């Protein structure tokens, strides 16, 4: 099967592709978001830390097989964009539609690196937010303005 | 009281000062590590997210008042150093000597930015590691080699 995966011109495009890959449970699209560097790092909200392409792939593969339907809504982004590195911090409202519908509020620090193949994800650190029980419906859809590192 | 706080020539110096400030419960030294930028972000292992100097200062002030003796041992660092941004990911073995001695294994993503006043901490995302119960004494003291972003 030949399929051309997109390059990302901005960290925002890479981040959108990351959350789209989760929404579609699409492992190939997910791995296309990540840098090929063996130092890539993914910390799941469970506290598991995966380092390197193989470990990161296996983790998402296992998540997609276990929970085919995950919807993540992003709120209150903070973005710092440099020449070759960009850092985003976001609140993720994660809805897992398993046997029952579960909702979690997760904090994620997403780090992107610009290389010859555009912006790629280098690190994703996710953890459960303390305000997990305080999700207000009014927050959904709000988002802050990106800014440029000086 | 006049006291001159150091500038940090490398992200490693800033990170060492961060963990030293915790070890000494020294709020002024802690705040000297942080950038003055109002976008600074600190996510504590409790899942609380503090944004901006005032919120970050209040959080550490409260921690230092509650737990005067915290010792953090850093292991298995991953370091990516660019021209103006550096990202470290570390395991923290956190020992809080309160009424009883508590130990936690924490994962932290530390982001530093280089400015006119040297390297400063921009973001600290800490969360409890899944392997919290698997701390092997043999790990203490080991650390990996830093590398440079290409």
């Amino acid at each position: 099967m030949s399929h051309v995966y997109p390059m990302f011109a901005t960290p925002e495009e890479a981040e959108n592709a990351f959350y789209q890959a989760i929404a579609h449970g699409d492992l190939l699209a997910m791995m296309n978001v990540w840098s090929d560097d063996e130092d890539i790092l993914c910390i799941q909200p469970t506290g598991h830390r995966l380092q390197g392409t193989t470990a990161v792939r296996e983790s998402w593969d296992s998540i997609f097989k276990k929970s085919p339907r995950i919807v993540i809504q992003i709120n209150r982004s903070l973005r710092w964009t440099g020449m070759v590195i960009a850092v985003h911090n976001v609140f993720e409202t994660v809805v897992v539609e398993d046997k029952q519908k579960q909702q979690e509020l997760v904090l994620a620090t997403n780090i992107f690196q610009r290389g010859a193949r555009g912006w790629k994800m280098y690190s994703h650190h996710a953890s459960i937010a303390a305000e997990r029980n305080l999700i207000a419906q009014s927050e959904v859809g709000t988002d802050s303005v990106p800014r440029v590192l000086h």
Side-chain angles (χ1 to χ4, degrees), chain A:
Chain A
M1 185 179 71
S2 109
H3 187 105
V4 177
Y5 282 97
M7 275 177 57
F8 309 112
T10 64
E12 285 70 24
E13 282 182 27
E15 189 166 62
N16 288 342
F18 174 76
Y19 290 110
Q20 283 292 314
I22 295 174
H24 297 141
D26 184 335
L27 189 63
L28 291 175
M30 167 58 80
M31 294 317 296
N32 178 57
V33 173
W34 286 86
S35 163
D36 289 332
D37 197 294
E38 268 311 308
D39 272 356
I40 60 168
L41 203 67
C42 180
I43 297 171
Q44 302 287 15
T46 52
H48 289 94
R49 175 187 183 274
L50 299 321
Q51 188 185 337
T53 304
T54 305
V56 170
R57 185 195 295 111
E58 283 172 0
S59 174
W60 288 109
D61 191 27
S62 151
I63 288 169
F64 293 159
K65 279 177 178 152
K66 230 181 310 185
S67 306
R69 184 146 170 78
I70 303 172
V71 178
I72 300 186
Q73 172 101 37
I74 298 306
N75 294 100
R76 291 179 278 170
S77 296
L78 267 180
R79 302 177 201 161
W80 318 314
T81 306
M83 287 296 287
V84 291
I85 302 184
V87 178
H88 293 186
N89 184 273
V90 298
F91 279 89
E92 303 177 345
T93 305
V94 182
V95 179
V96 179
E97 287 179 19
D98 233 335
K99 283 159 199 164
Q100 55 187 22
K101 196 166 167 171
Q102 297 167 278
Q103 183 166 300
E104 280 285 10
L105 188 62
V106 170
L107 283 161
T109 299
N110 296 324
I111 302 174
F112 304 91
Q113 196 193 348
R114 198 185 64 176
R117 296 175 52 231
W119 287 90
K120 292 282 191 175
M121 183 169 264
Y122 211 81
S123 170
H124 169 73
H125 184 163
S127 62
I128 304 291
E131 32 183 324
R132 58 199 290 181
N133 299 318
L134 301 174
I135 304 177
Q137 195 54 37
S138 63
E139 281 173 3
V140 175
T142 61
D143 212 337
S144 73
V145 183
R147 63 189 293 271
V148 173
L149 272 184
H150 42 136

